[in-house]
Amino acid sequence: MSATEIDFYEVLGVSRDADGAAIKSAYRKLAMKHHPDRNPGCKDSENTFKAISVAYDCLKDPQKRAAYDQYGHAAFQNGGGPGGAHGNADFGDIGDIFETIFGSAFGGGGGRARPRRGADLRYDMEIGLEEAFHGKSSEIEIEVSKACDTCHGSGAQPGTHARTCNLCGGQGNVRAKQGFFVVERPCPNCHGAGEVITSPCRDCRGEGRVDVPQKLEVDIPPGVDTGTRIRLSGKGEAGPRGAPAGDLYIFVHVKPHEIFQREGTTLATRVPISFTMAALGGSIEIPGLDGEELTLEIPAGIQSGKQLRQRGAGMPVLQGRGRGDMVVEIAVETPTKLTKEQRAVLEQFRDLETGDECPQSQGFFEKIRTAFGG
Ligand SMILES: [Zn+2]
Ligand SMILES: [Zn+2]
């Protein structure tokens, strides 16, 4: 820990194994002493007061305290530790406060170089609708860069150590004058790491990471859809020189199905039925994705385009309970090949038509007659 990083425990004057009560009491005493109301106009007290508030805010929360114990201040800076790009927002807020208070109040130049988190990885997985329905456990193989075993991720040949970069003094960035402005940019000597490796590890050539094919068991939960991302925390690339690993994201793509179209949790399909079934009624069987045959009652007199909704026969709700619906659209099929006998029977039927059996057609032709004064 460099001089510009003020330890939260030191700020509160407690030991690293102090319990919650001890931390709280230390904070109260200090807060009382340095409260701005008691020290009007005193900048030092104000800064100290802010510092103890930030330190207490971190240490009173067991989760944040654990992150701090593990990663130090990097836990609350962007890209570091569990508060990284995908971490929870609480850490981000503290990061900002940390920057303004610890960066300025204690005269530091922004602290040490931040340990960069490893990159997130993407893996595209194509699955069938049945698999999306049931969920599945699948083994995938990806090339992941992992911390090098030989140097334990440091990048330095065992027995040697990285030394502080003398160009940037370990800051990781350098200041340069550009016209009227002073700009900060990554140090060209250490590329922002703040350290230079003099004898690079031979196995990873100083990277601290090696690429290895890795087999991973991935659980695809029931109900996933195209666009679902499954995050495997810490399964991405190892960070450079021992920094935390990134995450692995499984991007799910569900292949089109021969029978069902899917819209969220709704499964839709179009079922052709014969004109006799449409007229007389009956029942049809549809193979459901759960392997059960679904029996659908067709009421007599059904029309083409009518949608029958079957509650709870659709896709499972992702990470929830229950299932969506199945919507079956009926398409009445007009026969195209008739035997002589069938034709004769139909002609007989036609002769028996009164017009009342098809009110829609009758109504339509009546409208035409009135419109054209027939
Ligand atoms: Zn190595
Ligand atoms: Zn440097």
Side-chain angles (χ1 to χ4, degrees), residues 77-354:
Q77 290 170 336
N78 294 334
H86 307 282
N88 74 52
D90 290 347
F91 292 127
D93 294 348
I94 290 214
D96 292 344
I97 300 169
F98 169 82
E99 282 284 302
T100 43
I101 295 172
F102 288 84
S104 58
F106 293 93
R112 261 172 67 100
R114 296 168 180 185
R116 265 177 234 137
R117 206 168 143 270
D120 291 336
L121 291 179
R122 170 181 179 143
Y123 183 92
D124 289 275
M125 182 186 277
E126 199 178 52
I127 61 172
L129 190 61
E130 279 91 350
E131 291 172 317
F133 182 91
H134 293 287
K136 72 176 226 176
S137 184
S138 159
E139 195 181 65
I140 61 167
E141 191 175 305
I142 45 166
E143 279 275 307
V144 179
S145 76
K146 282 181 54 180
C148 168
D149 282 339
T150 313
C151 62
H152 302 290
S154 74
Q157 185 67 14
T160 72
H161 289 283
R163 60 166 176 76
T164 305
C165 171
N166 46 28
L167 185 64
C168 62
Q171 299 291 312
N173 36 44
V174 288
R175 286 154 184 256
K177 242 188 139 183
Q178 236 178 45
F180 295 107
F181 303 103
V182 175
V183 291
E184 232 177 45
R185 54 192 171 81
C187 169
N189 188 40
C190 62
H191 307 290
E195 302 181 320
V196 175
I197 292 163
T198 38
S199 344
C201 164
R202 275 189 278 273
D203 288 345
C204 62
R205 279 176 267 127
E207 266 293 295
R209 302 177 281 184
V210 282
D211 284 347
V212 280
Q214 204 187 352
K215 281 192 175 136
L216 275 177
E217 195 70 31
V218 179
D219 273 318
I220 306 293
V224 291
D225 202 348
T226 294
T228 303
R229 293 191 318 175
I230 295 161
R231 178 180 158 206
L232 300 177
S233 175
K235 297 292 183 193
E237 300 252 316
R241 292 169 194 172
D247 300 331
L248 169 66
Y249 287 88
I250 310 286
F251 279 65
V252 176
H253 303 266
V254 180
K255 282 184 271 191
H257 192 263
E258 270 189 52
I259 296 170
F260 295 111
Q261 285 90 50
R262 175 182 184 181
E263 184 74 50
T265 55
T266 305
L267 286 176
T269 187
R270 194 165 174 270
V271 177
I273 58 170
S274 68
F275 76 122
T276 46
M277 181 182 282
L280 303 172
S283 68
I284 52 172
E285 307 255 287
I286 296 168
L289 290 175
D290 53 4
E292 306 268 312
E293 291 272 312
L294 181 74
T295 306
L296 208 58
E297 296 301 328
I298 307 290
I302 199 167
Q303 302 294 336
S304 249
K306 171 81 181 168
Q307 291 185 337
L308 301 173
R309 183 174 286 267
Q310 206 65 22
R311 299 236 173 256
M315 290 296 283
V317 178
L318 181 63
Q319 274 159 348
R321 273 190 281 159
R323 288 168 60 180
D325 300 340
M326 187 191 286
V327 175
V328 177
E329 187 180 309
I330 296 298
V332 180
E333 189 177 15
T334 308
T336 48
K337 281 185 252 169
L338 294 172
T339 64
K340 239 184 180 172
E341 250 180 314
Q342 287 169 333
R343 197 178 172 84
V345 176
L346 282 180
E347 277 167 356
Q348 208 182 330
F349 176 80
R350 182 192 54 201
D351 296 341
L352 292 170
E353 275 177 353
T354 61

Side-chain angles (χ1 to χ4, degrees), residues 5 18 22 29 37-38 54 56 79 94 119 124 162 166 200 218 264 319 352-353 359 365 369:
E5 284 191 2
K29 271 184 209 147
D37 289 353
R38 294 194 167 198
V54 172
Y56 178 60
I94 290 214
D124 289 275
N166 46 28
V218 179
Q319 274 159 348
L352 292 170
E353 275 177 353
F365 287 107
R369 270 195 291 278

